[in-house]
Amino acid sequence: MSSRPALSQDAARSASRPGDGPPGNPQGDRGSRQKLLSWLQLPRDVYLLLFYTLGKGFQLTIGTLDINYYAHSLGYQPDFIGLLSALPALGSLISAVPSGMLADRLGYKPVLLASALSMPFFLAMIGLTSAAPLMLLAAFFQGVASAAYWVTNVPLLIEKTSEERRVGVLALNSFVLLGVGSLGNLLGGAIPELVARLLQVSANSVLALRWGVLSASLVSLLFGLPLWWLRSAPPRASHAGTAQVAKAPPPPESAGSSSSATRGRFPLAVFVKLLVPDLIFNMGEGAVIALIQLFFVLRFSLLPGPLGLIFTISGLAGGLFSLTAPLFVHRWRKIKIITTVMYASAPLMLLIGYSPILLVAVLGEYTRSFLRLLIEPVYTAFAMEQVSERYRGRLSGFYSVTWSVGYSLGPTVAGWLQTYVNLSAAFLFAAICLVISASLLLAAFGRRPVSASESR
C-alpha cells in the first residue's frame, strides 16, 4: 500500500495553509474543528495499539534506566553491561524473520499477544537474579519476545487506518512510544527512591534497583492485557494484499516505463545502498543509547531520581519536536533533512562524551535527542519510498535486521571501549559511525532528482 508519498504531499499542503483560511474566517475555523474531530475518531483497534505502544515506551525507558544501573549495583563492569544491553537486539535479530513468518501464518494478533505476555516474564527474570548467565539468558529472550512487537505493530496500524491518515498515525505512534513513553524515566527513577525510603536503604542499592526492574515487568503486563480485545484479521492478509498488487494491471506509460520494466526485478543495489548506512548508523546509535544512562551515573555520580528526570525531559520534549517533521519535509528534501541531522549529531556526541560539566552534557543530550526523534518518521518514509510497494515488507524486515545487528555490535563495542579505553571513547566511535552513514546516504541518494513523493 503505497501511502507514504501521498501523505507527505498532504502534510505539505496542510502546513502551507494551516487554518484553511485567514484568521477569523468561519470556514477555516470549522474546517480545523472537523479535522480535529476526525483525528479523535480513529478505529478502536488503533487506540488499543497506541495504548500498548505507550506501555511499551514506559517499559523500555524504565528498563533502560534501571537494568544497567541494577547490573552496576551488583558489581558488574561496563564490558559485561554492554553485552547485557546487546543481547536483546541479538535475540530480536534471530527471531525477527521467524516472528514475521509466524504472523503471516497465524495472524498478527496472536503473535503480538504472545509478545505482550512473555515479555514481563523475562523482565522479571532479569530483576530476580544476580547470576550473570541467567541475566544474559533473560536479556536474550527478552529480545526474542520483543521482536514480535516490532514486526506486528506497524503492519497492524497500517492495516487498520485509512490511507490519508496513515503517516499521521505512524508519527503519533512514534510520539507515544518515544515521547510520552519517556515519562517512564520518571517512574524508573522514582520507584528505587521510594523503595529506598520505605526500606531504609540507598537508592542505588541492589534491592531498590531490583524493584525498578520489576516495575518495568509489571507495566509491560498491565498495558498488554487490553490487546485481547483487538479484532483478529485472517492469517496471510498481508500476502493477499501483495498478491492483489502483483495481479493488478500495469500502470499507464505516464507513470514511468522504467518502473514497470523493473517491476519483476529485485532491487538489490537499492537495498544495499539503504541497509549498509543504516547498519552503521545503528551501530553508532546503539553504542550511545544503550549505555548513556550508565555513562551519566559513572561520569557524574547521579542517583536514580535525577537521572530519570533528565531523560524524561529529553524524551518528552524530543517526542513533541518530532511532530514538526511534516513542516520540515514541506521545505526540504527528506535526504537533506536526514543527512543534515546525522552530520549535526556527530559533534553533539563528542560534546556529551567529553564534557566535564553536567549541564553542558545534558544540553548536548537534549539537542541530540530532539534531532534524532525529528528524523525518525522522515527516515522511515524516505526508505520506503525508494522501493516499489512489492518490496516494502521485505525492506522493513531487513531494517529490523540492521537495527538488531547495530544494537548488538554497538553496545558491545561501547562497553569494551568504556572499560579498556575510557568512558568518552564510545561517543567518539558513535560520531564516526554517524558521519560515515550520512556520507554513504548522501553519495547514494543526494543527487537524485526530486520525485513526487519528496516534493516540497
Side-chain angles (χ1 to χ4, degrees):
M1 293 169 288
S2 181
S3 60
R4 293 181 190 272
L7 279 163
S8 297
Q9 293 168 9
D10 185 64
R13 287 194 295 269
S14 299
S16 65
R17 45 186 178 86
D20 288 330
N25 186 337
Q27 292 182 348
D29 293 342
R30 187 161 53 250
S32 298
R33 285 196 297 270
Q34 289 174 349
K35 286 182 179 180
L36 176 60
L37 288 174
S38 71
W39 273 103
L40 295 175
Q41 295 171 353
L42 294 170
R44 186 199 65 166
D45 283 2
V46 172
Y47 288 118
L48 290 175
L49 290 166
L50 290 174
F51 182 73
Y52 182 60
T53 293
L54 176 62
K56 189 71 175 177
F58 286 157
Q59 172 240 301
L60 287 171
T61 49
I62 295 171
T64 303
L65 187 81
D66 287 338
I67 288 176
N68 289 345
Y69 209 157
Y70 171 66
H72 175 65
S73 72
L74 291 170
Y76 292 111
Q77 297 300 309
D79 54 344
F80 171 82
I81 297 172
L83 180 61
L84 181 67
S85 299
L87 279 176
L90 181 61
S92 181
L93 167 65
I94 293 173
S95 63
V97 173
S99 295
M101 295 172 63
L102 197 62
D104 285 339
R105 180 173 294 276
L106 303 178
Y108 291 130
K109 177 182 175 179
V111 175
L112 182 59
L113 270 175
S115 171
L117 295 177
S118 58
M119 176 66 67
F121 172 77
F122 295 116
L123 283 169
M125 185 175 171
I126 293 174
L128 292 174
T129 185
S130 58
L134 287 178
M135 291 181 72
L136 295 174
L137 187 67
F140 174 81
F141 281 106
Q142 178 198 341
V144 171
S146 185
Y149 166 80
W150 300 115
V151 301
T152 58
N153 180 59
V154 169
L156 272 169
L157 286 171
I158 289 175
E159 177 184 283
K160 296 178 182 296
T161 53
S162 60
E163 186 172 346
E164 65 271 11
R165 292 183 180 181
R166 197 159 293 144
V167 164
V169 168
L170 291 175
L172 182 60
N173 183 70
S174 179
F175 167 66
V176 169
L177 176 69
L178 303 173
V180 183
S182 67
L183 294 173
N185 284 299
L186 281 181
L187 290 174
I191 290 172
E193 299 270 5
L194 177 62
V195 171
R197 286 196 295 270
L198 293 176
L199 301 182
Q200 300 296 307
V201 296
S202 170
N204 57 6
S205 65
V206 172
L207 183 59
L209 289 164
R210 173 170 286 154
W211 278 101
V213 178
L214 293 177
S215 68
S217 171
L218 181 60
V219 164
S220 181
L221 177 63
L222 293 178
F223 278 81
L225 292 178
L227 292 176
W228 285 105
W229 285 278
L230 276 177
R231 293 185 181 90
S232 296
R236 295 188 176 274
S238 58
H239 283 272
T242 304
Q244 290 169 7
V245 170
K247 293 175 184 177
E253 287 299 318
S254 59
S257 58
S258 61
S259 106
S260 41
T262 59
R263 186 177 299 276
R265 235 180 11 239
F266 179 73
L268 177 61
V270 176
F271 269 55
V272 171
K273 290 175 183 177
L274 288 169
L275 294 171
V276 171
D278 191 65
L279 173 61
I280 297 171
F281 173 73
N282 283 316
M283 285 177 60
E285 287 283 301
V288 168
I289 300 302
L291 298 176
I292 194 165
Q293 286 89 350
L294 181 64
F295 167 78
F296 275 90
V297 170
L298 297 176
R299 171 62 64 86
F300 301 107
S301 302
L302 293 178
L303 291 174
L307 187 67
L309 180 61
I310 287 172
F311 286 95
T312 296
I313 296 172
S314 172
L316 185 59
L320 287 170
F321 189 57
S322 71
L323 297 178
T324 66
L327 300 178
F328 287 88
V329 172
H330 172 59
R331 299 179 69 87
W332 296 292
R333 293 179 63 198
K334 296 183 183 71
I335 187 63
K336 182 177 180 181
I337 297 169
I338 295 164
T339 55
T340 300
V341 166
M342 288 183 179
Y343 282 130
S345 298
L348 289 172
M349 292 288 192
L350 300 178
L351 178 67
I352 299 165
Y354 286 91
S355 173
I357 303 171
L358 175 61
L359 179 60
V360 174
V362 168
L363 291 177
E365 163 57 18
Y366 283 178
T367 308
R368 185 208 63 80
S369 176
F370 293 173
L371 294 175
R372 176 65 183 91
L373 294 179
L374 169 66
I375 66 168
E376 185 72 30
V378 180
Y379 198 174
T380 302
F382 169 78
M384 293 297 108
E385 289 164 0
Q386 304 311 307
V387 298
S388 68
E389 184 176 332
R390 178 179 179 182
Y391 296 109
R392 286 175 184 169
R394 205 174 307 182
L395 180 62
S396 180
F398 276 111
Y399 266 113
S400 178
V401 171
T402 57
W403 180 90
S404 299
V405 174
Y407 272 75
S408 298
L409 294 177
T412 303
V413 172
W416 185 90
L417 289 171
Q418 290 184 340
T419 301
Y420 297 104
V421 183
N422 57 56
L423 290 176
S424 303
F427 291 84
L428 176 60
F429 170 76
I432 293 171
C433 287
L434 290 177
V435 170
I436 294 174
S437 177
S439 300
L440 290 174
L441 284 173
L442 203 56
F445 302 102
R447 295 184 178 181
R448 283 191 175 187
V450 180
S451 63
S453 62
E454 287 191 284
S455 64
R456 295 177 241 171

